[in-house]
Amino acid sequence: PKEEEGGLNRVLRIDINSWRYSSIKTKGSNPHSIDRAGDSDRFYVRTQGSKSFDVVNFKTREVKTIDLYGDTPRSIGATNLKYHIQLLPAKYRPLIYIIDTDNDKIIGRVGDDFNFYESTANGHTGWLDSKHFVLVDRVNKRLSVYEVIDHGESLDFEKTQTIDMQTSYHGIMRVENVKNSEDLYTFYGMGEGDIEDGIPPFVVKFKFDPTHGKLKKVAKTYLRFSTKKVNGITPQTHHAGISPNGVELFVPTTDGKLYILDRFSMKIKKILKVGLGAGHVYFSKSKNLAIVSNHDAPFVSVIDLDSFELIKNIKITDKKFEKHQLQPHTSYISRTGRYFYTFSTADGDFLRIDLDRLEVKDRLHVGGAPEQGHS
């Protein structure tokens, strides 16, 4: 986060085998998300305190800055390996910059150039297939689908659809572990809701038609028990996850609930109490567990995937939520499913949590206050 909140304006590279890290200072301020530039050795860093983004190479330790023409970056990470491009939404305008990952050059932008927003103007963008991506416009409350038009020597980007949203969305998620052809074109919209207007958070199920470049709403489920602020925190959706068996959709809400939905019927199967700021869920298939990151709570929540019961809240810090979140926006399960890797942000510690013993096994002090990870 910002320097006055403990941030150190750097990116970290952590080796989980040697349990060591290296760091590189960014040129821009307040670095947040970081993602690989296509399949290269370079990484794009969203320096959200600057009207630019940084390009970092951990092998050469080279850092350069790419100007965003007056815009602040909102997020990084929607890579298309077919066309060697990456999408970078602006923070305060509902538009997306398109970056050529071969040379780090901006080759286009789409969206609304004219409407500025006092808060985050874009939800998370993403690819619907290799030719289509979605812009989540939180200003005008609409989704726009764009198609890549390949002219051989150049690319154009044409809008194929606009859908009005009831409220803003945090993003549109795809099915990560595709089990059949239908899953390739199934997506879930995380509706943030508007409790002041009597609208709780909700989830919309979409089907995508790649021939015509259009999304179709097929179901909508309101998370109807999230209607009031808790300790000043407004209930909203953030990110969700699909269970290893492919049946359940796990949807955390920031008021400290975890909604478990049957993703085919879109009916709520169970609601669990987790921690405030619940925002991300991860799965260990080998241990049959779900782990929920609670950004505003000092613990992660562990759920049994057979009983859908809370097994344990694993404490990771003695700090309380004040200036910034206590846990990062991206954590990881090891390949074997044995360990959960995350940060105790307020302590500046990288953690290895043992999912057999359900306790913190190792801490690596890196300093600062790391809020976002990627690999």
PDB file of all heavy atoms in Angstrom, residues 175-184 242-248 263-264 285:
ATOM      1  N   VAL A 175     -15.002 -20.739 -15.491  1.00  0.00           N
ATOM      2  CA  VAL A 175     -14.799 -22.038 -14.849  1.00  0.00           C
ATOM      3  C   VAL A 175     -13.343 -22.424 -15.081  1.00  0.00           C
ATOM      4  O   VAL A 175     -12.938 -22.687 -16.220  1.00  0.00           O
ATOM      5  CB  VAL A 175     -15.757 -23.098 -15.420  1.00  0.00           C
ATOM      6  CG1 VAL A 175     -15.524 -24.449 -14.745  1.00  0.00           C
ATOM      7  CG2 VAL A 175     -17.210 -22.662 -15.235  1.00  0.00           C
ATOM      8  N   GLU A 176     -12.548 -22.443 -14.016  1.00  0.00           N
ATOM      9  CA  GLU A 176     -11.111 -22.678 -14.168  1.00  0.00           C
ATOM     10  C   GLU A 176     -10.794 -24.120 -14.546  1.00  0.00           C
ATOM     11  O   GLU A 176      -9.986 -24.368 -15.426  1.00  0.00           O
ATOM     12  CB  GLU A 176     -10.384 -22.308 -12.862  1.00  0.00           C
ATOM     13  CG  GLU A 176     -10.395 -20.812 -12.564  1.00  0.00           C
ATOM     14  CD  GLU A 176      -9.535 -20.010 -13.522  1.00  0.00           C
ATOM     15  OE1 GLU A 176      -8.715 -20.621 -14.247  1.00  0.00           O
ATOM     16  OE2 GLU A 176      -9.687 -18.778 -13.565  1.00  0.00           O
ATOM     17  N   ASN A 177     -11.400 -25.068 -13.857  1.00  0.00           N
ATOM     18  CA  ASN A 177     -11.135 -26.480 -14.137  1.00  0.00           C
ATOM     19  C   ASN A 177     -12.276 -27.057 -14.964  1.00  0.00           C
ATOM     20  O   ASN A 177     -13.193 -27.684 -14.452  1.00  0.00           O
ATOM     21  CB  ASN A 177     -10.959 -27.255 -12.822  1.00  0.00           C
ATOM     22  CG  ASN A 177      -9.792 -26.730 -12.018  1.00  0.00           C
ATOM     23  OD1 ASN A 177      -8.691 -26.613 -12.529  1.00  0.00           O
ATOM     24  ND2 ASN A 177     -10.031 -26.400 -10.756  1.00  0.00           N
ATOM     25  N   VAL A 178     -12.179 -26.822 -16.266  1.00  0.00           N
ATOM     26  CA  VAL A 178     -13.254 -27.200 -17.187  1.00  0.00           C
ATOM     27  C   VAL A 178     -13.405 -28.713 -17.225  1.00  0.00           C
ATOM     28  O   VAL A 178     -12.438 -29.445 -17.401  1.00  0.00           O
ATOM     29  CB  VAL A 178     -12.961 -26.642 -18.598  1.00  0.00           C
ATOM     30  CG1 VAL A 178     -13.944 -27.188 -19.612  1.00  0.00           C
ATOM     31  CG2 VAL A 178     -12.994 -25.121 -18.581  1.00  0.00           C
ATOM     32  N   LYS A 179     -14.648 -29.177 -17.036  1.00  0.00           N
ATOM     33  CA  LYS A 179     -14.905 -30.616 -17.034  1.00  0.00           C
ATOM     34  C   LYS A 179     -15.662 -31.077 -18.278  1.00  0.00           C
ATOM     35  O   LYS A 179     -15.756 -32.264 -18.552  1.00  0.00           O
ATOM     36  CB  LYS A 179     -15.694 -31.005 -15.775  1.00  0.00           C
ATOM     37  CG  LYS A 179     -14.918 -30.751 -14.488  1.00  0.00           C
ATOM     38  CD  LYS A 179     -15.653 -31.261 -13.276  1.00  0.00           C
ATOM     39  CE  LYS A 179     -14.874 -30.995 -11.998  1.00  0.00           C
ATOM     40  NZ  LYS A 179     -13.565 -31.674 -11.972  1.00  0.00           N
ATOM     41  N   ASN A 180     -16.239 -30.138 -19.031  1.00  0.00           N
ATOM     42  CA  ASN A 180     -16.962 -30.494 -20.257  1.00  0.00           C
ATOM     43  C   ASN A 180     -17.016 -29.263 -21.167  1.00  0.00           C
ATOM     44  O   ASN A 180     -16.625 -28.162 -20.770  1.00  0.00           O
ATOM     45  CB  ASN A 180     -18.377 -31.001 -19.934  1.00  0.00           C
ATOM     46  CG  ASN A 180     -19.138 -30.046 -19.032  1.00  0.00           C
ATOM     47  OD1 ASN A 180     -19.290 -28.865 -19.347  1.00  0.00           O
ATOM     48  ND2 ASN A 180     -19.612 -30.545 -17.897  1.00  0.00           N
ATOM     49  N   SER A 181     -17.513 -29.445 -22.382  1.00  0.00           N
ATOM     50  CA  SER A 181     -17.534 -28.350 -23.360  1.00  0.00           C
ATOM     51  C   SER A 181     -18.440 -27.205 -22.905  1.00  0.00           C
ATOM     52  O   SER A 181     -18.176 -26.042 -23.217  1.00  0.00           O
ATOM     53  CB  SER A 181     -17.991 -28.872 -24.728  1.00  0.00           C
ATOM     54  OG  SER A 181     -19.279 -29.470 -24.631  1.00  0.00           O
ATOM     55  N   GLU A 182     -19.489 -27.517 -22.143  1.00  0.00           N
ATOM     56  CA  GLU A 182     -20.396 -26.468 -21.675  1.00  0.00           C
ATOM     57  C   GLU A 182     -19.684 -25.498 -20.735  1.00  0.00           C
ATOM     58  O   GLU A 182     -19.932 -24.287 -20.754  1.00  0.00           O
ATOM     59  CB  GLU A 182     -21.602 -27.100 -20.970  1.00  0.00           C
ATOM     60  CG  GLU A 182     -22.656 -26.079 -20.556  1.00  0.00           C
ATOM     61  CD  GLU A 182     -23.853 -26.723 -19.878  1.00  0.00           C
ATOM     62  OE1 GLU A 182     -23.880 -27.967 -19.760  1.00  0.00           O
ATOM     63  OE2 GLU A 182     -24.755 -25.975 -19.464  1.00  0.00           O
ATOM     64  N   ASP A 183     -18.754 -26.041 -19.936  1.00  0.00           N
ATOM     65  CA  ASP A 183     -18.033 -25.203 -18.991  1.00  0.00           C
ATOM     66  C   ASP A 183     -17.170 -24.156 -19.684  1.00  0.00           C
ATOM     67  O   ASP A 183     -16.857 -23.112 -19.106  1.00  0.00           O
ATOM     68  CB  ASP A 183     -17.134 -26.059 -18.094  1.00  0.00           C
ATOM     69  CG  ASP A 183     -17.912 -26.695 -16.935  1.00  0.00           C
ATOM     70  OD1 ASP A 183     -19.061 -26.285 -16.703  1.00  0.00           O
ATOM     71  OD2 ASP A 183     -17.354 -27.587 -16.273  1.00  0.00           O
ATOM     72  N   LEU A 184     -16.761 -24.438 -20.920  1.00  0.00           N
ATOM     73  CA  LEU A 184     -15.935 -23.482 -21.646  1.00  0.00           C
ATOM     74  C   LEU A 184     -16.649 -22.145 -21.821  1.00  0.00           C
ATOM     75  O   LEU A 184     -16.002 -21.104 -21.903  1.00  0.00           O
ATOM     76  CB  LEU A 184     -15.584 -24.030 -23.037  1.00  0.00           C
ATOM     77  CG  LEU A 184     -14.465 -25.058 -23.119  1.00  0.00           C
ATOM     78  CD1 LEU A 184     -14.396 -25.633 -24.524  1.00  0.00           C
ATOM     79  CD2 LEU A 184     -13.130 -24.447 -22.723  1.00  0.00           C
ATOM     80  N   ILE A 242     -14.947 -22.502  -7.551  1.00  0.00           N
ATOM     81  CA  ILE A 242     -15.739 -23.703  -7.829  1.00  0.00           C
ATOM     82  C   ILE A 242     -15.046 -24.896  -7.183  1.00  0.00           C
ATOM     83  O   ILE A 242     -13.828 -25.079  -7.328  1.00  0.00           O
ATOM     84  CB  ILE A 242     -15.902 -23.914  -9.348  1.00  0.00           C
ATOM     85  CG1 ILE A 242     -16.738 -22.764  -9.937  1.00  0.00           C
ATOM     86  CG2 ILE A 242     -16.550 -25.256  -9.656  1.00  0.00           C
ATOM     87  CD1 ILE A 242     -16.814 -22.746 -11.436  1.00  0.00           C
ATOM     88  N   SER A 243     -15.817 -25.691  -6.457  1.00  0.00           N
ATOM     89  CA  SER A 243     -15.280 -26.831  -5.727  1.00  0.00           C
ATOM     90  C   SER A 243     -14.624 -27.828  -6.679  1.00  0.00           C
ATOM     91  O   SER A 243     -14.951 -27.881  -7.872  1.00  0.00           O
ATOM     92  CB  SER A 243     -16.395 -27.519  -4.930  1.00  0.00           C
ATOM     93  OG  SER A 243     -17.422 -27.961  -5.809  1.00  0.00           O
ATOM     94  N   PRO A 244     -13.680 -28.639  -6.175  1.00  0.00           N
ATOM     95  CA  PRO A 244     -12.981 -29.601  -7.035  1.00  0.00           C
ATOM     96  C   PRO A 244     -13.898 -30.572  -7.765  1.00  0.00           C
ATOM     97  O   PRO A 244     -13.566 -31.032  -8.861  1.00  0.00           O
ATOM     98  CB  PRO A 244     -12.064 -30.343  -6.050  1.00  0.00           C
ATOM     99  CG  PRO A 244     -11.822 -29.363  -4.954  1.00  0.00           C
ATOM    100  CD  PRO A 244     -13.112 -28.599  -4.816  1.00  0.00           C
ATOM    101  N   ASN A 245     -15.074 -30.885  -7.186  1.00  0.00           N
ATOM    102  CA  ASN A 245     -15.991 -31.800  -7.884  1.00  0.00           C
ATOM    103  C   ASN A 245     -16.788 -31.097  -8.977  1.00  0.00           C
ATOM    104  O   ASN A 245     -17.558 -31.736  -9.703  1.00  0.00           O
ATOM    105  CB  ASN A 245     -16.937 -32.495  -6.890  1.00  0.00           C
ATOM    106  CG  ASN A 245     -17.888 -31.522  -6.210  1.00  0.00           C
ATOM    107  OD1 ASN A 245     -17.978 -30.344  -6.564  1.00  0.00           O
ATOM    108  ND2 ASN A 245     -18.605 -32.006  -5.189  1.00  0.00           N
ATOM    109  N   GLY A 246     -16.635 -29.777  -9.080  1.00  0.00           N
ATOM    110  CA  GLY A 246     -17.286 -29.029 -10.147  1.00  0.00           C
ATOM    111  C   GLY A 246     -18.737 -28.699  -9.898  1.00  0.00           C
ATOM    112  O   GLY A 246     -19.392 -28.104 -10.762  1.00  0.00           O
ATOM    113  N   VAL A 247     -19.255 -29.010  -8.714  1.00  0.00           N
ATOM    114  CA  VAL A 247     -20.694 -28.847  -8.461  1.00  0.00           C
ATOM    115  C   VAL A 247     -21.017 -27.545  -7.736  1.00  0.00           C
ATOM    116  O   VAL A 247     -21.959 -26.832  -8.091  1.00  0.00           O
ATOM    117  CB  VAL A 247     -21.246 -30.043  -7.649  1.00  0.00           C
ATOM    118  CG1 VAL A 247     -22.715 -29.824  -7.278  1.00  0.00           C
ATOM    119  CG2 VAL A 247     -21.082 -31.331  -8.445  1.00  0.00           C
ATOM    120  N   GLU A 248     -20.229 -27.220  -6.714  1.00  0.00           N
ATOM    121  CA  GLU A 248     -20.580 -26.079  -5.856  1.00  0.00           C
ATOM    122  C   GLU A 248     -19.811 -24.815  -6.255  1.00  0.00           C
ATOM    123  O   GLU A 248     -18.635 -24.869  -6.618  1.00  0.00           O
ATOM    124  CB  GLU A 248     -20.297 -26.383  -4.382  1.00  0.00           C
ATOM    125  CG  GLU A 248     -21.252 -27.379  -3.768  1.00  0.00           C
ATOM    126  CD  GLU A 248     -20.850 -28.808  -4.008  1.00  0.00           C
ATOM    127  OE1 GLU A 248     -19.640 -29.064  -4.210  1.00  0.00           O
ATOM    128  OE2 GLU A 248     -21.745 -29.681  -4.019  1.00  0.00           O
ATOM    129  N   ARG A 263     -24.068 -24.834  -8.527  1.00  0.00           N
ATOM    130  CA  ARG A 263     -23.880 -23.937  -9.668  1.00  0.00           C
ATOM    131  C   ARG A 263     -24.732 -24.314 -10.883  1.00  0.00           C
ATOM    132  O   ARG A 263     -24.801 -23.548 -11.844  1.00  0.00           O
ATOM    133  CB  ARG A 263     -22.401 -23.839 -10.042  1.00  0.00           C
ATOM    134  CG  ARG A 263     -21.795 -25.017 -10.740  1.00  0.00           C
ATOM    135  CD  ARG A 263     -20.333 -24.723 -11.049  1.00  0.00           C
ATOM    136  NE  ARG A 263     -19.689 -25.786 -11.792  1.00  0.00           N
ATOM    137  CZ  ARG A 263     -19.547 -25.787 -13.103  1.00  0.00           C
ATOM    138  NH1 ARG A 263     -20.035 -24.806 -13.827  1.00  0.00           N
ATOM    139  NH2 ARG A 263     -18.922 -26.785 -13.704  1.00  0.00           N
ATOM    140  N   PHE A 264     -25.377 -25.446 -10.835  1.00  0.00           N
ATOM    141  CA  PHE A 264     -26.270 -25.832 -11.938  1.00  0.00           C
ATOM    142  C   PHE A 264     -27.686 -25.301 -11.698  1.00  0.00           C
ATOM    143  O   PHE A 264     -28.290 -24.692 -12.572  1.00  0.00           O
ATOM    144  CB  PHE A 264     -26.251 -27.350 -12.116  1.00  0.00           C
ATOM    145  CG  PHE A 264     -24.876 -27.880 -12.408  1.00  0.00           C
ATOM    146  CD1 PHE A 264     -24.169 -28.571 -11.436  1.00  0.00           C
ATOM    147  CD2 PHE A 264     -24.265 -27.647 -13.638  1.00  0.00           C
ATOM    148  CE1 PHE A 264     -22.887 -29.038 -11.688  1.00  0.00           C
ATOM    149  CE2 PHE A 264     -22.987 -28.101 -13.904  1.00  0.00           C
ATOM    150  CZ  PHE A 264     -22.297 -28.805 -12.917  1.00  0.00           C
ATOM    151  N   LYS A 285      -7.677 -30.101  -3.159  1.00  0.00           N
ATOM    152  CA  LYS A 285      -8.404 -31.318  -3.521  1.00  0.00           C
ATOM    153  C   LYS A 285      -7.913 -32.505  -2.709  1.00  0.00           C
ATOM    154  O   LYS A 285      -8.708 -33.323  -2.223  1.00  0.00           O
ATOM    155  CB  LYS A 285      -8.237 -31.596  -5.014  1.00  0.00           C
ATOM    156  CG  LYS A 285      -9.035 -32.787  -5.518  1.00  0.00           C
ATOM    157  CD  LYS A 285      -8.889 -32.949  -7.022  1.00  0.00           C
ATOM    158  CE  LYS A 285      -9.705 -34.140  -7.519  1.00  0.00           C
ATOM    159  NZ  LYS A 285      -9.579 -34.310  -8.998  1.00  0.00           N
TER     160      LYS A 285
END
